[in-house]
Amino acid sequence: METYNNIVLERLPKHLKRYVVAQRYERYTALDQALWRYVMRQNYSFLKDVAHYPYIPGLKKAGLSIATIPNLQDMNDSLKLIGWGAVTVDGFIPPAAFMEFQAHRVLVIAADIRQLEHIEYTPAPDIIH
């Protein structure tokens, strides 16, 4: 399991590490990047006026950009400054495992991104969720 030079991830219990998958950033296509930008712009346009104030600055603190799909190394570089980490998983994981990751200060992110036909909503977890 890649730890991205983040002590939070290095300390994860072995039974949680089995859910972690590699992000494989190079597999995201130009269409995937465009989908990310579209959905994030839509979210930002709505949330900038209705979300609790720290939400928008929090995106940057977490290493997220509207322009590109987040890279786990960049996210972990940002998150480790506040004692958190991030990992990618393959879709759904058991709710108890999800909550345990949170207890260990680790954000769980699905590695996949929705397809064009599900641009508005996808029933499966994806990196945008």
Side-chain angles (χ1 to χ4, degrees):
M1 181 189 106
E2 174 67 51
T3 61
Y4 304 98
N5 300 314
N6 188 333
I7 192 77
V8 173
L9 300 183
E10 292 170 13
R11 292 180 177 161
L12 270 177
K14 185 177 181 179
H15 69 278
L16 290 178
K17 291 179 182 180
R18 69 185 166 123
Y19 297 108
V20 177
V21 299
Q23 183 181 33
R24 296 190 176 118
Y25 196 87
E26 70 282 356
R27 289 189 179 179
Y28 296 123
T29 66
L31 179 58
D32 294 336
Q33 294 288 350
L35 286 166
W36 172 269
R37 281 190 302 278
Y38 174 80
V39 173
M40 290 302 290
R41 286 177 182 154
Q42 295 295 317
N43 288 347
Y44 179 81
S45 178
F46 175 72
L47 293 172
K48 71 178 175 44
D49 297 323
V50 298
H52 184 58
Y53 167 74
Y55 175 78
I56 299 300
L59 291 175
K60 287 185 180 180
K61 272 191 172 180
L64 295 171
S65 161
I66 292 172
T68 59
I69 294 171
N71 179 296
L72 269 247
Q73 183 63 63
D74 295 339
M75 285 189 71
N76 275 287
D77 290 345
S78 296
L79 290 170
K80 71 181 177 183
L81 299 175
I82 58 171
W84 279 76
V87 296
T88 46
V89 298
D90 189 18
F92 289 106
I93 63 171
F98 180 86
M99 296 306 292
E100 193 173 353
F101 272 108
Q102 297 285 300
H104 287 280
R105 301 174 71 111
V106 175
L107 299 174
V108 176
I109 304 162
D112 293 331
I113 187 163
R114 64 192 65 189
Q115 298 302 302
L116 185 57
E117 60 269 15
H118 296 289
I119 195 166
E120 296 291 328
Y121 172 78
T122 178
D126 77 338
I127 197 164
I128 296 172
H129 272 98

